[in-house]
Amino acid sequence: MWHEVMAGVSYLRTTSPLGLLFVLVTLHCCLTMATFGILPTIATANLGGAAGGYGLLLTAFGAGAILGPISLMALRGQPGPGWTLFVTGVLSGAPLVVLGLTSLVWLAVLMSLLAGMGQSVFMAMIYASVMRCARNSMRGRVASVQLSVTTGAMGMASLGWGALVSVVSAGVLLAVPGAVFVAVCLGLAGRMPTLNRSVRAQGEVVRGLERGRLAPEAAPGQAAG
């Protein structure tokens, strides 16, 4: 088992653009998804303990998580994965800033809806891109390593954010990580065209290998980028 796990880790590290996608999804899970564990405190502190406030936030987030992938399917593959990750990454974090600071129920519900849309599409695009860039023989290992690390990181981050609620305002704890992830996305904006090309090129390499048109040695770290 150890050999298989390490083979997956090595493949993630050496195959472009899997490393960048892996870093992005780990940061996304730690900074935007883990903070939703403090929504009950947000509903109590920011929304004045309004009846059903927490339920409204969860319902709106769930509705967004359904609408987001439906909207993604309507795009029919356009734009490229890089720009989709950029837009939905911003959409994952920016609404959390507003949600953490507002005391208006309708605005909080709207921001929760937008965050649900952004986060669901971001995760869907990450998994689609990773599967597109991984060879058939490595997809199980890559997916298992990614799921283990990202969900583990999200769980540990949730514990950390939850512990900080006792000393820092819940609204601030929701807003700051969201703003940090938006800053990460903005900082990587210039790499999105390269990420688009890299995902496309690596996908072509993988398809060529699986169809027998390329020898395995023809794809060393495979698509540069």
Side-chain angles (χ1 to χ4, degrees):
M1 184 182 295
W2 178 250
H3 172 75
E4 305 300 333
V5 171
M6 292 310 297
V9 171
S10 177
Y11 190 77
L12 276 168
R13 182 174 53 84
T14 59
T15 304
S16 176
L18 292 179
L20 177 58
L21 294 172
F22 187 82
V23 170
L24 270 174
V25 74
T26 302
L27 289 174
H28 183 264
C29 288
C30 291
L31 295 173
T32 68
M33 299 180 73
T35 52
F36 262 79
I38 62 175
L39 270 188
T41 309
I42 294 291
T44 300
N46 288 17
L47 306 182
Y54 177 53
L56 282 173
L57 294 181
L58 280 185
T59 301
F61 184 83
I66 295 171
L67 293 173
I70 291 175
S71 302
L72 179 63
M73 288 188 291
L75 294 176
R76 301 175 184 270
Q78 297 296 332
W83 290 116
T84 302
L85 289 172
F86 172 75
V87 172
T88 57
V90 172
L91 198 58
S92 293
L96 300 186
V97 178
V98 181
L99 179 57
L101 302 178
T102 187
S103 59
L104 301 174
V105 175
W106 69 267
L107 185 56
V109 169
L110 176 61
M111 292 301 105
S112 188
L113 176 74
L114 292 176
M117 292 180 66
Q119 292 186 20
S120 62
V121 174
F122 185 95
M123 295 301 293
M125 184 56 66
I126 282 284
Y127 285 118
S129 297
V130 168
M131 292 300 99
R132 181 178 180 182
C133 293
R135 294 177 59 184
N136 283 344
S137 60
M138 295 299 298
R139 282 183 181 135
R141 303 179 201 183
V142 169
S144 63
V145 171
Q146 180 179 329
L147 283 170
S148 297
V149 174
T150 54
T151 54
M154 183 166 62
M156 295 301 294
S158 295
L159 286 175
W161 299 127
L164 286 174
V165 168
S166 60
V167 293
V168 181
S169 163
V172 171
L173 284 179
L174 191 65
V176 170
V180 170
F181 192 70
V182 170
V184 169
C185 292
L186 293 175
L188 292 174
R191 296 194 62 179
M192 292 304 106
T194 302
L195 181 59
N196 284 337
R197 292 192 298 270
S198 188
V199 170
R200 188 180 305 111
Q202 178 61 16
E204 291 297 327
V205 168
V206 168
R207 282 193 291 274
L209 287 170
E210 301 306 334
R211 293 170 182 170
R213 290 203 296 259
L214 292 175
E217 57 268 19
Q222 315 200 40

